[in-house]
Amino acid sequence: MRIRRLKDGGHRPAPMAKYLGGEAENDRRRAALNPIRALYHTQRWRELRWQVLLEAHFRCARCGRGHPTLTPACDALAPLGRLSSVKGKAPDHVADHITPHRGSEALFWDRSNLQCLCAACHNGAKQRAEQRDRPVPGDPGR
Ligand SMILES: [Zn+2]
């Protein structure tokens, strides 16, 4: 799928703009430059990410490391059919796109293309491998 063309023809903010506004402004600007980034801020993504992490019991698909509290909770509640009652934030866990979506919404939303990684694995070897392939400016991969 093609990335939608920016309405303003891809206008980039003036260099000084980076000194104006806070983190929200930075997020907005990055989203404008890379439209698929905005999908990471949707409720649909938050729910999909959580489903991926829950089903993996917050165990990293690479190193096997689990979350100290959420992994035991998942292990205990999943056999009772109560996995969905596990709550938390787990900012140190990532729903990772196995095949980099590279702006493809189909790959972005494909449940079978998502795996649970710990932040260390996600930010380490995998990111370096992707950057060797082709850098994706501003894409956090979350
Ligand atoms: Zn890991």
Side-chain angles (χ1 to χ4, degrees):
M1 183 178 294
R2 279 185 41 156
I3 298 175
R4 281 195 307 276
R5 186 172 288 280
L6 297 174
K7 282 196 180 94
D8 62 2
H11 167 76
R12 287 172 187 272
M16 279 301 288
K18 69 180 173 185
Y19 301 108
L20 306 170
E23 192 55 35
E25 172 64 14
N26 287 335
D27 280 350
R28 190 202 61 76
R29 190 163 57 245
R30 280 195 295 266
L33 293 172
N34 186 358
I36 208 155
R37 275 188 61 94
L39 300 181
Y40 287 109
H41 298 285
T42 61
Q43 182 68 20
R44 181 181 173 191
W45 170 254
R46 279 191 285 271
E47 288 174 2
L48 180 59
R49 169 187 178 268
W50 197 248
Q51 182 192 349
V52 169
L53 302 188
L54 274 183
E55 289 174 2
H57 293 201
F58 297 86
R59 279 196 185 85
C60 175
R62 289 215 159 197
C63 71
R65 200 179 308 156
H67 186 287
T69 56
L70 295 175
T71 296
C74 289
D75 288 345
L77 291 170
L80 308 174
R82 293 175 52 210
L83 190 60
S84 62
S85 68
V86 175
K87 303 293 181 205
K89 294 233 181 253
D92 52 343
H93 285 64
V94 178
D96 170 66
H97 291 93
I98 299 165
T99 300
H101 56 74
R102 303 277 187 235
S104 159
E105 285 197 41
L107 276 178
F108 184 92
W109 293 117
D110 183 356
R111 171 63 183 86
S112 65
N113 188 38
L114 290 164
Q115 65 182 350
C116 173
L117 289 185
C118 73
C121 285
H122 181 261
N123 297 333
K126 184 173 175 82
Q127 288 291 81
R128 282 196 295 277
E130 287 182 12
Q131 281 158 14
R132 272 198 302 276
D133 180 21
R134 195 185 81 182
V136 181
D139 186 344
R142 282 175 191 267

